[in-house]
Amino acid sequence: MSQMSTHYPDATRIETVNRHTLAIVVDNEPGVLARIAGLFSGRGYNIESLTVTETEHEAHISRITIVTTGTDSIIEQIKSQLGRLVPVHRVVDLTLTGDAVERELCLVKVVGKGDHRVEAMRLASAFGARTLDATLTSFVYELTGSTEEVERFIKLMTAVGLVEVSRTGVAAMARGAEGM
């Protein structure tokens, strides 16, 4: 009996796209961030959030936290390619390690008088935002929270006179006793 051939293509496999938070430990030297950003842009990957700071001053070690999205296979490819870069010491997918603590800081400037001013103060209080600057016509608030909480705060402040926003991006750390 001969094997039948079909004119229909094989079924397409659909993978879900997920958000991942990656913590990367690198040497703090010129060009490292450019190489990492170049890895993402050269392959068409998007960086949704990026934070960098030196964490060990004597050893000149920095930590980069990147939030990106992709299928499981793309995230594995990103981690593998990051791990092969010379100044990279370690890559940890905090999304896979379990419940990570993630926070973002934003500064929000709101301008308004009368009811808008009162509503801005009420919303800031409800979110636990700190007032950093106040004039007769404006406020600058600081809010630290999850990305979703920051997004909600900004959206609500838009209705009462939001004029400027500055955000840090996500800072994240795995829960528990072990470090990176």
Side-chain angles (χ1 to χ4, degrees):
M1 199 169 268
S2 66
Q3 190 174 5
M4 288 182 63
S5 83
T6 177
H7 294 288
Y8 298 105
D10 291 337
T12 307
R13 197 171 110 207
I14 298 173
E15 291 186 71
T16 58
V17 174
N18 295 309
R19 176 183 180 271
H20 285 258
T21 303
L22 306 176
I24 307 154
V25 177
V26 300
D27 289 335
N28 186 10
E29 59 186 44
V32 173
L33 183 57
R35 279 182 267 169
I36 289 174
L39 184 149
F40 277 78
S41 66
R43 288 156 182 85
Y45 305 143
N46 188 41
I47 296 175
E48 291 185 5
S49 173
L50 171 72
T51 56
V52 184
T53 191
E54 188 172 63
T55 54
E56 297 176 36
H57 299 293
E58 286 83 33
H60 300 289
I61 300 291
S62 290
R63 180 181 176 129
I64 300 173
T65 304
I66 294 177
V67 177
T68 189
T69 56
T71 63
D72 289 344
S73 59
I74 287 178
I75 297 298
E76 285 305 315
Q77 185 178 17
I78 289 171
K79 292 189 304 190
S80 174
Q81 290 168 348
L82 284 170
R84 286 196 299 266
L85 290 177
V86 171
V88 173
H89 295 281
R90 188 155 184 218
V91 178
V92 175
D93 188 344
L94 294 173
T95 306
L96 298 180
T97 62
D99 233 5
V101 176
E102 291 188 11
R103 290 293 177 263
E104 184 175 352
L105 179 134
C106 74
L107 301 178
V108 174
K109 184 184 289 183
V110 179
V111 174
K113 292 184 177 181
D115 290 343
H116 286 281
R117 184 175 173 83
V118 172
E119 185 63 11
M121 290 187 314
R122 190 188 67 73
L123 287 169
S125 176
F127 275 84
R130 225 175 82 190
T131 305
L132 300 180
D133 183 59
T135 69
L136 294 175
T137 58
S138 68
F139 290 105
V140 175
Y141 295 111
E142 172 191 313
L143 177 70
T144 303
S146 68
T147 299
E148 294 78 19
E149 184 178 6
V150 168
E151 291 285 345
R152 281 195 316 272
F153 183 66
I154 291 169
K155 184 177 179 183
L156 288 170
M157 285 299 189
T158 301
V160 293
L162 177 78
V163 294
E164 188 175 352
V165 176
S166 179
R167 295 170 74 164
T168 61
V170 174
M173 187 174 287
R175 294 183 188 271
E178 294 196 26
M180 269 192 64

